[in-house]
């Protein structure tokens, strides 16, 4: 088995033949990737604004958000975690709690540079470690704090990756948890995303009423 002990607890069926732990590739930040580039739309009138937001599909009753492939993301997160376990600096001296804390911090950092998929993978990895820590009778407060930090990263990432249903369900779970251990920045991310999750349906409802009123006025004319 591997020295250090912690790695033995994680056997995800990974094949490390040819794997070089001294490879200096950055395993955590892909700075060239931005899945959500900013743009500045030019709207001539209200109709152009509505079309830019999704056109007639805006008025459909269906939810136009996507559903993330969580099975695939979970597999990626397990691979991501194994790489972290094998390549952490001074890995032999790190406890699982140290590693979970580092990954939670990494997930939070990814949110600030718009690396939402990376944040999602790190958050899922933290959840795996939290389960292991719970089995090892780690204090509930420690495990709960890790899950709260990972949950916020997961919620924000899900929303930014257009899976509103996952974002909402994660938010409902978080609201039942002790979130007093969140950093000020992560708390701000959580509150801001919650506001957007509540605001967008209200905005779409108002826009739908405007459209109906406009069509009614045209019919009367």
């Amino acid at each position: 088995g591997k020295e250090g002990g912690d790695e033995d607890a994680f056997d995800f069926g990974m094949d490390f033949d040819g794997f070089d732990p001294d490879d200096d590739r950055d395993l955590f930040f892909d700075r060239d990737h931005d899945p959500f580039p900013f743009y500045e739309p030019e709207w001539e009138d209200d109709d152009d604004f509505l079309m830019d937001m999704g056109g007639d599909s805006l008025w459909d009753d269906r939810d136009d958000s996507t559903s993330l492939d969580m099975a695939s993301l979970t597999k990626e997160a397990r691979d991501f975690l194994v790489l972290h376990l094998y390549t952490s600096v001074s890995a032999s001296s790190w406890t699982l709690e140290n590693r979970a804390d580092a990954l939670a911090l990494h997930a939070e950092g990814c949110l600030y540079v718009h690396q939402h998929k990376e944040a999602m993978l790190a958050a899922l990895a933290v959840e795996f470690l939290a389960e292991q820590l719970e089995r090892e009778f780690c204090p509930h407060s420690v495990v709960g704090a890790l899950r709260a930090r990972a949950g916020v990263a997961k919620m924000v990432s899900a929303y930014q990756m257009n899976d509103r249903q996952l974002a909402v369900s994660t938010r409902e779970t978080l609201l039942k948890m002790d979130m007093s251990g969140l950093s000020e920045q992560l708390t701000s991310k959580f509150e801001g995303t919650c506001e957007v999750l509540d605001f967008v349906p209200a905005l779409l409802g108002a826009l739908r009423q405007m459209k109906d009123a406009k069509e009614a006025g045209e019919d009367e004319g």
Side-chain angles (χ1 to χ4, degrees):
K2 305 281 188 308
E3 293 183 0
D6 288 339
E7 290 88 345
D8 293 337
F10 296 91
D11 180 7
F12 299 121
M14 293 288 291
D15 181 4
F16 283 94
D17 290 341
F19 175 72
D20 181 6
D22 296 322
D23 192 334
D24 61 356
R25 292 173 300 174
D26 188 345
L27 294 173
F28 299 103
F29 285 102
D30 178 6
R31 296 178 179 84
D32 295 328
H33 174 61
D34 185 355
F36 302 99
F38 293 104
Y39 68 101
E40 297 182 0
E42 296 181 358
W43 298 313
E44 296 293 336
D45 53 33
D46 291 343
D47 289 336
D48 287 343
F49 168 74
L50 296 178
M51 289 303 295
D52 191 79
M53 289 187 67
D56 290 338
S57 64
L58 244 178
W59 316 114
D60 294 344
D61 291 332
R62 69 178 184 276
D63 182 359
D64 288 330
S65 67
T66 60
S67 180
L68 293 173
D69 184 353
M70 292 307 297
S72 177
L73 285 171
T74 297
K75 182 181 184 303
E76 287 188 60
R78 291 185 183 279
D79 294 348
F80 176 88
L81 175 57
V82 171
L83 288 177
H84 173 74
L85 293 174
Y86 275 80
T87 59
S88 298
V89 177
S90 302
S92 62
S93 64
W94 280 26
T95 65
L96 288 183
E97 185 179 338
N98 292 150
R99 290 168 172 169
D101 182 70
L103 283 170
L105 184 61
H106 174 64
E108 181 177 347
C110 286
L111 296 179
Y112 304 135
V113 293
H114 310 291
Q115 301 289 337
H116 299 115
K117 181 178 179 181
E118 184 88 354
M120 174 69 78
L121 295 179
L124 292 173
V126 173
E127 291 182 349
F128 301 150
L129 290 180
E131 291 177 3
Q132 181 70 14
L133 286 168
E134 191 170 48
R135 286 193 290 269
E136 296 182 2
F137 304 104
C138 183
H140 178 74
S141 59
V142 172
V143 176
L146 287 169
R147 283 180 168 153
R149 294 166 68 190
V152 173
K154 182 178 178 180
M155 183 195 80
V156 175
S157 298
Y159 177 75
Q160 293 293 343
M161 295 169 76
N162 201 31
D163 190 337
R164 187 178 186 280
Q165 183 175 357
L166 177 59
V168 170
S169 63
T170 304
R171 177 185 66 175
E172 295 309 306
T173 299
L174 285 166
L175 290 174
K176 301 173 184 177
M177 300 171 64
D178 178 6
M179 302 177 64
S180 60
L182 298 181
S183 68
E184 181 179 347
Q185 294 82 1
L186 200 57
T187 298
S188 178
K189 282 284 187 183
F190 172 72
E191 293 175 347
T193 303
C194 286
E195 290 176 1
V196 172
L197 287 172
D198 292 332
F199 171 74
V200 170
L203 172 62
L204 295 182
L207 291 173
R208 185 176 292 108
Q209 291 179 355
M210 290 169 55
K211 181 174 184 288
D212 291 344
K214 181 178 180 180
E215 291 177 347
E218 290 175 350
D219 291 340
E220 293 176 0

